[in-house]
Amino acid sequence: EGVAVVLPTAPSASPTVSLKPTTELVENNCYTLTMKDEESDGWDNAYWYWKNGDSDAGNGNIFDSGTLEDGASSTVEICSYTRVGCYDFMVTNGNYPTEVSWTIESKKGKNMYDVDGKKAKGGAGESITFCNVPTPSPTYTFEPTKDTKAPTSDDTNSGSDDEDEDEDEDDGGGGGGGGSKSKTS
């Protein structure tokens, strides 16, 4: 009586990828906003806004906003998103604008800079614009993982790039027992 054997399907030489369009914003990178108040009583009706700077005259969608409710300082995370090229950060005056200050730094504590090369810091009533906000690293490039060239008589190591480049030396490693090696597809 025969036994049915199901063989796996060979991989396609040119796989296809289909991406569905989306309007969803995806976080790209995040930064630390540090808010400070000289009198240690909060920002007294001053508020910050992190907005889409790709819109006309700073009327972009607000991604995030807040204030220093009480105390001398506080931090909050603000993030950039895929498909957004520029951002506006602004702080309103509030009741006591001379007490208010802020900075924006990377998660590693490095200064952020605006489109004019100025450090991302300021006070009440100030705004700053960021464009081409850095992307997180590393970035990846996808390349084929299978060698598709036909085997030749010069192929002595099955197409791998081993660290040992001396083709005449036999390290006794496994394989075919001294005969010629061949590639299989």
Side-chain angles (χ1 to χ4, degrees):
E1 293 171 44
V3 176
V5 177
V6 178
L7 298 175
T9 306
S12 168
S14 55
T16 58
V17 176
S18 64
L19 301 174
K20 295 179 182 177
T22 179
T23 57
E24 181 181 333
L25 292 174
V26 178
E27 282 185 9
N28 192 27
N29 214 354
C30 295
Y31 307 91
T32 301
L33 166 64
T34 302
M35 301 168 281
K36 293 185 178 179
D37 183 81
E38 282 186 18
E39 294 296 318
S40 301
D41 60 355
W43 274 9
D44 301 305
N45 273 341
Y47 290 87
W48 61 267
Y49 297 92
W50 181 243
K51 306 186 315 177
N52 180 343
D54 290 339
S55 301
D56 295 332
N59 296 320
N61 296 330
I62 297 171
F63 295 124
D64 208 349
S65 64
T67 189
L68 176 59
E69 291 288 339
D70 194 28
S73 69
S74 183
T75 61
V76 68
E77 183 177 83
I78 57 176
C79 298
S80 62
Y81 299 90
T82 57
R83 300 181 302 119
V84 177
C86 294
Y87 299 85
D88 291 328
F89 180 82
M90 64 173 288
V91 177
T92 61
N93 281 320
N95 299 334
Y96 301 98
T98 58
E99 299 177 8
V100 172
S101 66
W102 53 269
T103 59
I104 301 173
E105 297 175 318
S106 73
K107 289 293 204 171
K108 294 180 180 177
K110 295 184 179 184
N111 290 317
M112 292 294 297
Y113 295 89
D114 72 357
V115 293
D116 297 322
K118 296 177 187 170
K119 284 186 180 179
K121 64 180 185 175
E126 294 187 68
S127 64
I128 194 167
T129 299
F130 300 92
C131 289
N132 302 318
V133 177
T135 60
S137 56
T139 57
Y140 298 95
T141 302
F142 296 98
E143 297 179 13
T145 57
K146 184 172 182 170
D147 187 346
T148 57
K149 74 175 183 126
T152 66
S153 61
D154 292 337
D155 291 331
T156 59
N157 62 2
S158 297
S160 67
D161 290 332
D162 292 339
E163 291 177 25
D164 183 8
E165 295 180 22
D166 187 355
E167 295 179 7
D168 296 330
E169 184 176 321
D170 184 6
D171 64 3
S180 65
K181 297 179 185 178
S182 63
K183 294 183 184 178
T184 57
S185 299

